[in-house]
């Protein structure tokens, strides 16, 4: 784990930042309750919003981290994205099959799936929009793509009864 | 001993929350994340905007939903923290009164990255006035949206109400179980605390101010 993915704490202002972006501690109760609020409120529009917002977070954060450090290979950028996910509590992602041209990734115990199961129980559809969007954002930065060229979705989810969460990232 | 805020902030910050071998952060009986404020802001203000576009009068509904998420957050997160071994080790030795539970929890909040919470006045069992500097909600709003006519710190408002309910409406000192029934008992009571944001950076104020009172608002 490199120091570059650990948020900087300003104890006087009570802020945490990573890549110039604010980081805040929150628990699974808030995360999945807020997500359910968004899903209930926006219906069919919610998955795209949740995924896009995560992609933008990843793009902003990872591109800044890349700019601050030595230039990394596309694989290194994606690995750093996975490191951020794991360090920040979202689950350990296997990105060995994910590259700048897209691919697949898995998370054995993703935060949103584990949190959803703990708070609400099993659901019918995948819930890890944040992870999907974050992985897409990592591919955007790795490949230097315009964001609209990369789409990601969760194909299987622990919270929907699958053994793990699986993600498909496609570059158009 | 009074609450020594700086010592609490340094102690909590020193816990060094980081993903374990599964990439999860189990702490205080919860799964924590070090999440991205932009993400929360984008999805929360998108919900608000969608409701307003459907009908302006729905803004109040969106606000209520987002504040409710904040109350759920405080119930579980603050509740988990205030009944944890870490609280017992760091904060509890400083506590001399019920009001110190509020002050101690505010000190812990100031290690969560949410911005600086500062208690301006606390009337036991009645009223809390608190300011927030560098609120992550308001600073994100100011950066990405035009000046607001209404306050925008929904998580903070729900959190402040929740804190007062845990301490005065419920009895956090008795180490309750944070069940759905207990939530309903203290948050649906006619005497429950509600919070309103009276100043907000998003409206052009210099900082955000939240008032929690028992009176219906």
């Amino acid at each position: 784990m490199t120091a570059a993915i650990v948020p900087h704490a300003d104890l006087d202002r009570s802020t945490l930042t990573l890549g110039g972006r604010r980081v805040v501690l929150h628990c699974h109760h808030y995360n999945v309750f807020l997500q359910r609020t968004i899903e209930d409120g926006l219906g069919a529009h919610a998955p795209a919003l949740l995924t896009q917002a995560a992609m933008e977070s990843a793009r902003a954060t990872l591109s800044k981290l890349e700019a601050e450090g030595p230039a990394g290979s596309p694989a290194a950028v994606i690995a750093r994205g996975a490191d951020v996910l794991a360090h920040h509590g979202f689950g350990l992602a296997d990105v060995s099959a994910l590259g700048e041209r897209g691919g697949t990734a898995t998370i054995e115990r993703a935060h949103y799936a584990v949190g959803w199961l703990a708070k609400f129980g099993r659901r019918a559809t995948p819930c890890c929009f944040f992870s999907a969007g974050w992985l897409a954002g990592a591919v955007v930065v790795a490949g230097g793509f315009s964001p609209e060229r990369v789409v990601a979705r969760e194909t299987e989810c622990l919270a929907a009864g699958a053994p793990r969460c699986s993600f498909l990232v496609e570059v158009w | 001993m009074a609450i020594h805020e700086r010592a609490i902030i340094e102690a909590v910050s020193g816990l060094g929350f980081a993903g374990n071998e599964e990439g999860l952060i189990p702490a205080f009986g919860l799964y924590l994340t070090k999440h991205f404020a932009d993400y929360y802001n984008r999805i929360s203000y998108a919900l608000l905007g969608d409701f307003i576009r459907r009908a302006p009068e729905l803004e109040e509904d969106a606000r209520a939903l987002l504040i409710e998420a904040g109350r759920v957050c405080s119930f579980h997160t603050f509740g988990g923290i205030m009944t944890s071994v870490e609280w017992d080790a760091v904060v509890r030795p400083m506590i001399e009164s019920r009001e110190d539970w509020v002050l101690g929890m505010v000190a812990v909040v100031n290690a969560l990255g949410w911005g600086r919470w500062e208690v301006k006045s606390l009337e036991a069992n009645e009223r809390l006035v608190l300011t927030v500097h560098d609120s992550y909600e308001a600073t994100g709003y100011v950066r990405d949206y035009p000046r607001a006519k209404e306050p925008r710190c929904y998580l903070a408002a729900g959190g402040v109400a929740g804190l007062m309910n845990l301490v005065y409406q419920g009895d956090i000192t008795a180490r309750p179980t944070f069940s759905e029934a207990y939530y309903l008992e203290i948050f649906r009571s006619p005497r429950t605390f509600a919070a309103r944001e009276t100043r907000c950076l998003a409206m052009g104020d210099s900082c955000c101010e939240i008032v929690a009172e028992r009176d219906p608002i």
Side-chain angles (χ1 to χ4, degrees), chain B residues 179-200:
Chain B
S179 63
E180 182 70 16
Y182 189 57
Y183 181 84
L184 294 174
E185 178 187 330
I186 66 172
F187 282 87
R188 298 291 185 262
S189 161
R191 297 255 308 145
T192 196
F193 282 90
R196 60 195 160 93
E197 192 175 7
T198 49
R199 291 191 289 157
C200 185

Side-chain angles (χ1 to χ4, degrees), chain A residues 1 5-7 9-16 18 20-31 33-35 37-38 41-43 45 49-54 56-57 60-61 84-92 107 109-112 114-115 118-119 129-130 134, chain B residues 5-6 9-10 13 16-25 29-40 42-44 46-47 50-51 54 62 65-66 68-70 72-73 76-77 109-117 133-137 139 143-144 155 178 180:
Chain A
M1 198 70 65
I5 63 170
V6 178
D10 183 332
L11 299 188
D12 294 320
R13 297 179 65 188
S14 297
T15 60
L16 300 168
L18 180 68
R21 299 285 170 159
R22 291 283 294 273
V23 171
V24 289
L25 271 78
H26 272 295
C27 77
H28 73 279
H29 288 282
Y30 180 63
N31 288 338
F33 189 91
L34 180 61
Q35 177 167 313
T37 299
I38 302 298
L42 299 185
H45 299 296
L49 169 67
L50 295 164
T51 307
Q52 183 68 29
E56 290 181 12
S57 288
T61 305
V84 172
L85 276 185
H87 178 78
H88 287 227
F90 295 103
L92 190 63
I107 303 178
R109 284 170 56 74
H111 169 81
Y112 274 91
V114 170
K119 188 165 183 66
F129 304 109
F130 179 81
W134 183 271
Chain B
E5 181 173 278
R6 184 73 182 194
I9 293 172
E10 290 178 355
S13 298
F17 298 114
N20 62 13
E21 67 282 358
E22 294 182 312
L24 299 174
I25 307 175
L30 315 158
Y31 290 107
L32 294 181
T33 53
K34 293 189 283 192
H35 217 314
F36 295 86
D38 288 352
Y39 179 77
Y40 291 125
R42 282 294 306 277
I43 65 176
S44 297
L47 178 78
D50 183 83
F51 275 38
R54 283 192 230 171
L65 288 170
L66 294 168
E68 176 66 7
V72 168
C73 170
H76 291 285
T77 307
V109 167
N110 284 332
L112 303 181
W114 296 6
R116 171 69 66 170
W117 286 25
H133 289 271
D134 292 315
S135 152
Y136 76 85
E137 297 174 282
T139 55
R143 189 192 66 202
D144 294 335
L155 175 277
F178 300 102
E180 182 70 16

Side-chain angles (χ1 to χ4, degrees), chain A residues 83-169:
Chain A
D83 284 347
V84 172
L85 276 185
H87 178 78
H88 287 227
F90 295 103
L92 190 63
D94 179 350
V95 292
S96 57
L98 184 63
E100 62 187 300
R101 296 178 184 173
T104 60
T106 58
I107 303 178
E108 293 291 325
R109 284 170 56 74
H111 169 81
Y112 274 91
V114 170
W116 195 284
L117 285 170
K119 188 165 183 66
F120 299 129
R122 186 177 289 194
R123 56 182 273 160
T125 56
C127 72
C128 299
F129 304 109
F130 179 81
S131 302
W134 183 271
L135 292 167
V139 170
V140 165
V141 176
F145 299 125
S146 299
E148 65 274 12
R149 289 188 60 195
V150 181
V151 294
R153 62 187 171 89
E154 188 179 19
T155 53
E156 286 187 314
C157 183
L158 187 69
R164 66 188 59 79
C165 298
S166 301
F167 302 89
L168 175 65
V169 182

